[in-house]
């Protein structure tokens, strides 16, 4: 895959000189993405490299120096410390990085998604309309769980998307949006929701050596009716069966603002003695996914592997430690698109799926104004890695 991919886009003229601004919460990911781009562009053979249109094409780093200093009151301002005129700017932001702090009237405050989103707007405002084009890469879409209205309530995700495009953002790239239909809020602007299916499959195949990839030995499970699309895709590309759970609720009473879940009901064929892949967009506290895993174990499922694009682990890791010790789960795979605690990265049951190379491909391709369709559909790459695994050639 490496060579085929890295030889792409050679002949088209870049939209503008490439600039990447990784906001503080997304700095480690931004640095990895930058390293790939620097390497590929240094190796790339192009007769046009010396021409004016390719000015600034090959650099030691594409990361621009941007900061958001804060006043003692907790207020802030965005600053960009180098020229961005005519640049094709890519902003990377992780709204889930709660590890960052700032001082608020002498108190230490942890940054919330609201703070990160506000900082993103500050940096866009600091660009001041001078860039050729602005693309926001926001892996965890801000407020994406607040995507539909069921009572008198705010539609925060739609509001945020509209606000960004009004500020001059041309494209928004997110990963595994909770509900991709939020893009209806900005129908005339670019909005891509990218699936990390290939990286999950690669992570599983590299870390578990004795899988039998057929429908007699494996199954894909959606933990709820909302995530069916993801499970169907993985099941189809791996040629496995799928099953799903739905939440049976008690509509006669309300607890904490919602109808309580009575049981997780299963729809699908027998799971006995099969390995399970449970796939979801996020692990928040992790309660749902662990309940589903326990329900599958009660139905005599063999090993259980959990795929989730975003591992928030808002209730800590102890529940997962216990589930692993009790043999309820075998591996949990999430991406490095959002902040991961050092404790999580050390867990025996955890596999981190690195997305930096994929993001670098997307940025490289878009900077050349080329189509990213083939990057959004990883079926070929999945088939290639599966056949390598089956033949024992996967490292």
């Amino acid at each position: 895959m490496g060579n085929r991919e890295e030889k792409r886009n050679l002949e088209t003229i870049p939209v503008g000189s490439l600039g990447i601004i990784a906001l503080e919460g997304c700095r480690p990911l931004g640095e990895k993405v930058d390293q790939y781009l620097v390497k590929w562009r240094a190796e790339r053979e192009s007769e046009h490299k010396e021409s004016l249109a390719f000015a600034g094409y090959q650099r030691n780093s594409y990361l621009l120096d941007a900061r958001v200093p804060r006043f003692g009151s907790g207020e802030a301002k965005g600053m960009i410390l180098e020229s961005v005129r005519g640049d094709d700017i890519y902003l990377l932001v992780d709204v889930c990085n709660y590890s960052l702090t700032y001082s608020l009237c002498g108190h230490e405050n942890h940054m919330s998604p609201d703070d990160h989103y506000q900082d993103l707007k500050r940096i866009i405002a600091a660009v001041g309309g001078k860039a050729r084009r602005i693309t926001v890469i926001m892996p965890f879409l801000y407020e994406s769980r607040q995507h539909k209205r069921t009572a008198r309530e705010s539609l925060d995700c739609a509001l945020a998307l509209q606000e960004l495009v009004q500020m001059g953002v041309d494209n928004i790239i997110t990963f595994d949006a909770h509900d991709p239909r939020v893009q209806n809020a900005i129908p005339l602007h670019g909005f891509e929701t990218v699936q990390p299916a290939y990286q999950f499959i690669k992570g599983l195949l590299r870390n578990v050596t004795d899988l039998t990839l057929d429908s007699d030995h494996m199954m894909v499970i959606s933990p709820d009716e909302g995530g069916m699309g993801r499970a169907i895709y993985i099941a189809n590309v791996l040629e496995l069966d799928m099953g799903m759970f739905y939440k049976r609720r008690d509509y006669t009473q309300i607890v904490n603002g919602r109808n309580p879940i009575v049981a997780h009901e299963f729809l699908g064929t027998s799971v006995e003695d099969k390995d399970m892949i449970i796939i979801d967009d996020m692990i928040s506290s992790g309660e749902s996914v662990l309940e589903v895993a326990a329900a599958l174990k009660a139905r005599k499922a063999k090993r259980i592997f959990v795929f989730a694009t975003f591992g928030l682990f808002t209730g800590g890791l102890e529940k997962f430690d216990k589930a692993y010790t009790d043999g309820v789960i075998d591996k949990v795979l999430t991406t490095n698109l959002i902040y991961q605690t050092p404790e999580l990265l050390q867990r025996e049951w955890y596999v981190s799926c690195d997305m930096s190379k994929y993001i670098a491909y997307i940025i490289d391709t878009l900077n050349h104004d080329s189509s990213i369709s083939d990057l959004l559909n990883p079926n070929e790459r999945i088939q290639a890695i599966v056949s390598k695994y089956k033949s024992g050639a996967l490292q």
Side-chain angles (χ1 to χ4, degrees), residues 162-218:
Q162 290 185 350
E163 191 173 18
L164 290 177
V165 302
Q166 279 159 9
M167 292 182 77
V169 172
D170 297 278
N171 296 298
I172 295 164
I173 293 172
T174 186
F175 283 76
D176 212 349
H178 193 65
D179 185 340
R181 287 173 294 188
V182 293
Q183 66 184 289
N184 290 344
I186 49 165
L188 301 179
H189 288 79
F191 179 95
E192 301 292 350
T193 174
V194 186
Q195 299 293 332
Y198 169 70
Q199 285 78 8
F200 282 141
I201 291 166
K202 183 165 79 171
L204 181 66
L205 300 186
R206 286 215 164 130
N207 286 279
V208 185
T209 52
D210 57 344
L211 295 166
T212 311
L213 294 165
D214 64 40
S215 53
D216 294 332
H217 298 87
M218 273 183 98

Side-chain angles (χ1 to χ4, degrees), residues 215-233:
S215 53
D216 294 332
H217 298 87
M218 273 183 98
M219 245 176 114
V220 183
I221 306 291
S222 173
D224 55 35
E225 63 280 19
M228 286 281 289
R230 279 179 213 96
I232 290 170
Y233 182 78

Side-chain angles (χ1 to χ4, degrees), residues 124-140:
I124 295 169
V127 170
K130 302 293 186 290
R132 178 74 46 88
R133 188 173 70 173
I134 297 177
T135 301
V136 169
I137 299 178
M138 185 189 282
F140 183 99

Side-chain angles (χ1 to χ4, degrees), residues 41 53-54 98 146 159 190 217 220 240 248 267 274 302 378:
R41 292 194 167 187
F54 276 66
Y98 59 89
Q146 191 45 37
L159 281 172
H217 298 87
V220 183
L240 307 176
R248 189 147 59 85
L267 304 172
K274 293 179 190 169
K302 200 169 154 196

Side-chain angles (χ1 to χ4, degrees), residues 165-354:
V165 302
Q166 279 159 9
M167 292 182 77
V169 172
D170 297 278
N171 296 298
I172 295 164
I173 293 172
T174 186
F175 283 76
D176 212 349
H178 193 65
D179 185 340
R181 287 173 294 188
V182 293
Q183 66 184 289
N184 290 344
I186 49 165
L188 301 179
H189 288 79
F191 179 95
E192 301 292 350
T193 174
V194 186
Q195 299 293 332
Y198 169 70
Q199 285 78 8
F200 282 141
I201 291 166
K202 183 165 79 171
L204 181 66
L205 300 186
R206 286 215 164 130
N207 286 279
V208 185
T209 52
D210 57 344
L211 295 166
T212 311
L213 294 165
D214 64 40
S215 53
D216 294 332
H217 298 87
M218 273 183 98
M219 245 176 114
V220 183
I221 306 291
S222 173
D224 55 35
E225 63 280 19
M228 286 281 289
R230 279 179 213 96
I232 290 170
Y233 182 78
I234 297 273
N236 285 343
V237 294
L238 294 179
E239 296 176 5
L240 307 176
D241 278 343
M242 73 151 284
M244 70 162 274
F245 281 83
Y246 70 92
K247 299 180 177 91
R248 189 147 59 85
R249 294 178 183 273
D250 179 357
Y251 286 106
T252 61
Q253 53 173 324
I254 291 177
V255 179
N256 292 335
R258 25 186 25 180
N259 304 101
I261 296 167
V262 183
H264 289 269
E265 300 287 359
F266 179 67
L267 304 172
T269 53
S270 166
V271 301
E272 195 169 340
D273 282 337
K274 293 179 190 169
D275 290 330
M276 300 285 124
I277 293 173
I278 302 175
I279 181 158
D280 210 353
D281 61 333
M282 69 177 76
I283 290 170
S284 187
S285 67
E287 263 169 44
S288 299
V289 78
L290 291 176
E291 279 173 24
V292 162
L296 289 169
K297 277 292 184 191
R299 290 173 170 79
K300 300 189 180 154
K302 200 169 154 196
R303 290 174 296 183
I304 293 184
F305 309 109
V306 180
F307 294 178
T309 309
F310 306 108
L312 299 168
F313 300 104
T314 56
L317 302 175
E318 289 68 30
K319 282 182 286 198
F320 284 85
D321 291 338
K322 185 177 185 319
Y324 177 65
T325 312
D326 296 349
V328 176
I329 54 166
D330 292 79
K331 292 269 183 242
V332 177
L333 292 80
T334 76
T335 68
N336 64 338
L337 291 168
I338 60 168
Y339 172 68
Q340 299 159 299
T341 62
E343 296 77 40
L344 175 66
L345 293 168
Q346 284 163 4
R347 289 300 198 267
E348 205 179 329
W349 45 263
Y350 181 67
V351 176
S352 174
C353 300
D354 183 12

